[in-house]
Amino acid sequence: MIPNTVFGASPPAALPRRSGLPSERGLSPRLPMERVSNAAPVGPRPLDLAPCPATPWQGAGSQPAVMVMRDHERWRVKATADSASSAIEVTLGALFQLTGLLAPDHALVSAAEGLADTGQHVGTRYDPAFQDLGDFLLSDAAADLAAAGDPDACRCYDALREWHAKAVADNAALLRGAGVDWWALQGADARRHAATDQARFDALEAMNRMLPVELRCEQLRHYVVSRWLGNWDQLNYRLENFGYTVRDGARVGMSLDFGSSGPLGFRHPQSGAMLPKADSRTAAIAQRPPSLFPIPDAFASNVVEFDAFGPDPGNLQDILGWPYGFQSESVAASFRPPVAPDPAVADTLAEMGYRLALLPHATIARVIECHWPKATAWPTPQAMAQRLVERRNALVARFDPAQIHEWIQADPARAARVRHAMADALAATLEPAAAAHGRTALERVHARLSRAD
């Protein structure tokens, strides 16, 4: 495992000492540092949605939320611990989009009907075509794709859906009898609920493993970016934080909810405040109700080795670095040695090495400058940008440059589509001058990766 470090602190003695802002010589020679502009931040102003009609949110999520109509747009607005936490989540959503993968547009919301005026909230633009992974797996469309016309596979998938339905029904009956919500169950009722909840999750995971490889590769793409951004809760225990939407008639992955990304960890059990990653290792386990299926012992016993947003997120296939990493086992298992990955999986990994390598340092820094909170409890924008570059470099260093080069040469048009998507993300996220600078830097890295040397 890679030891954790805390912003502004030195890592254990076994590792070379790092300052808050390492010198350029300490970074990968393949991905040199770029000069970062000191121009004033130009982030968008928070949205004031108080005059807009709102209705209570009825979908997934653990925090109070409303659906707001703004002209012809729909925004889901959720309450968070404080304005700083909201700003960090908005920042991480914008950083995720820089990779060219899909995440909903994020914005700070100063006020919205139906939410307490306790600070700025997080708004996400609603995509009506989005279906979270948990719901998708239970659909007839997923069953048809997983079975692919094979009668035996069809029977297997139907059995898994019945297993899931029974688990949900059994726990619903238990809750009716107990007369409390699931998180308030205690004793034998909590143990029964947890066992049945484990069966529910196991059925979903088994269905997920039956999906076609192209849909599972969408999960892998988002998993890699989640590792970069330190998003412990990549899928969620109900598989709500990732799903599929539709673009040009095809299903593509989309990630939601970045409240556990970056330096944010989990909420303090008493105060409800979001804790820095290094301070929330035990909270991640302690806050889990006994009625929810338990964290496996291998993860619970590994609490001191969690990735607390240190400079290296660790090996991609090693999910012990996240408290909730076991939820992503079906993703990591697709490329964990000694099993040779499917060619499509290997191809996707090379693509993600390419995407990460293309990310310009100055662009990462600019996004953070525009959105980061003015709060002393969190890293400075400069320190946050530096840490993300360190994490990006550590991940890219795990990819064979020859493999990335071969991936580019095998299909230059495909590589061009990736760059085009990332350039579009730059244009949507940054002011024109910064976006143009980012496109130039992106093409410069592409040229270097394309060379045979």
Side-chain angles (χ1 to χ4, degrees), residues 27-33 356-358 389 392-393 396 445 448:
L27 298 174
S28 168
R30 295 186 180 278
L31 296 165
M33 297 290 291
L356 290 175
L358 290 179
V389 171
R392 186 277 305 272
N393 289 355
V396 173
V445 175
R448 185 163 61 247

Side-chain angles (χ1 to χ4, degrees), residues 254-346:
M254 176 180 276
S255 285
L256 311 177
D257 195 346
F258 300 95
S260 295
S261 291
L264 284 177
F266 288 84
R267 294 177 183 273
H268 189 281
Q270 280 75 48
S271 70
M274 290 299 293
L275 298 170
K277 279 279 184 14
D279 297 331
S280 66
R281 303 168 187 171
T282 53
I285 294 175
Q287 73 170 6
R288 198 168 175 88
S291 59
L292 190 62
F293 69 96
I295 293 178
D297 290 342
F299 291 84
S301 63
N302 195 51
V303 64
V304 296
E305 298 292 345
F306 283 160
D307 171 21
F309 209 61
D312 190 335
N315 292 322
L316 283 173
Q317 68 268 24
D318 183 4
I319 56 175
L320 282 174
W322 289 355
Y324 295 166
F326 58 91
Q327 296 169 178
S328 300
E329 170 61 21
S330 59
V331 181
S334 66
F335 61 94
R336 181 181 293 125
V339 176
D342 183 285
V345 171

Side-chain angles (χ1 to χ4, degrees), residues 67-350:
M67 179 69 85
V68 180
M69 288 296 300
R70 179 177 182 260
D71 298 328
H72 299 293
E73 300 174 349
R74 283 191 283 179
W75 288 80
R76 177 182 179 268
V77 183
K78 72 172 183 180
T80 62
D82 52 49
S83 295
S85 298
S86 297
I88 292 174
E89 185 164 350
V90 168
T91 305
L92 271 294
L95 287 166
F96 196 103
Q97 289 180 321
L98 289 183
T99 65
L101 302 182
L102 287 182
D105 292 335
H106 285 67
L108 288 175
V109 176
S110 59
E113 179 186 347
L115 291 182
D117 187 16
T118 56
Q120 293 173 339
H121 308 303
V122 173
T124 52
R125 196 187 303 271
Y126 180 70
D127 183 343
F130 175 80
Q131 188 174 28
D132 71 50
L133 179 58
D135 284 344
F136 174 70
L137 289 170
L138 299 175
S139 69
D140 290 341
D144 291 342
L145 289 169
D150 183 340
D152 290 338
C154 184
R155 284 189 290 271
C156 178
Y157 203 92
D158 285 345
L160 290 171
R161 286 204 288 180
E162 291 174 5
W163 182 22
H164 180 276
K166 183 178 185 306
V168 171
D170 287 350
N171 270 348
L174 190 157
L175 292 175
R176 286 194 299 270
V180 297
D181 288 325
W182 62 271
W183 47 265
L185 291 172
Q186 297 182 3
D189 283 345
R191 290 190 292 274
R192 283 179 55 203
H193 189 281
T196 307
D197 195 55
Q198 181 74 67
R200 174 198 61 80
F201 181 82
D202 289 348
L204 287 175
E205 186 182 53
M207 284 183 265
N208 195 30
R209 291 171 184 266
M210 293 182 65
L211 288 182
V213 67
E214 60 269 18
L215 289 180
R216 298 194 66 200
C217 284
E218 284 293 293
Q219 298 177 33
L220 176 55
R221 289 180 175 92
H222 286 245
Y223 168 82
V224 173
V225 181
S226 293
R227 289 298 293 261
W228 172 50
L229 297 179
N231 187 2
W232 284 352
D233 204 13
Q234 183 234 352
L235 288 183
N236 179 264
Y237 72 104
R238 295 193 189 279
L239 307 186
E240 296 165 339
N241 289 350
F242 170 87
Y244 300 101
T245 187
V246 178
R247 294 290 186 272
D248 298 325
R251 287 186 179 86
V252 294
M254 176 180 276
S255 285
L256 311 177
D257 195 346
F258 300 95
S260 295
S261 291
L264 284 177
F266 288 84
R267 294 177 183 273
H268 189 281
Q270 280 75 48
S271 70
M274 290 299 293
L275 298 170
K277 279 279 184 14
D279 297 331
S280 66
R281 303 168 187 171
T282 53
I285 294 175
Q287 73 170 6
R288 198 168 175 88
S291 59
L292 190 62
F293 69 96
I295 293 178
D297 290 342
F299 291 84
S301 63
N302 195 51
V303 64
V304 296
E305 298 292 345
F306 283 160
D307 171 21
F309 209 61
D312 190 335
N315 292 322
L316 283 173
Q317 68 268 24
D318 183 4
I319 56 175
L320 282 174
W322 289 355
Y324 295 166
F326 58 91
Q327 296 169 178
S328 300
E329 170 61 21
S330 59
V331 181
S334 66
F335 61 94
R336 181 181 293 125
V339 176
D342 183 285
V345 171
D347 193 72
T348 300
L349 286 170

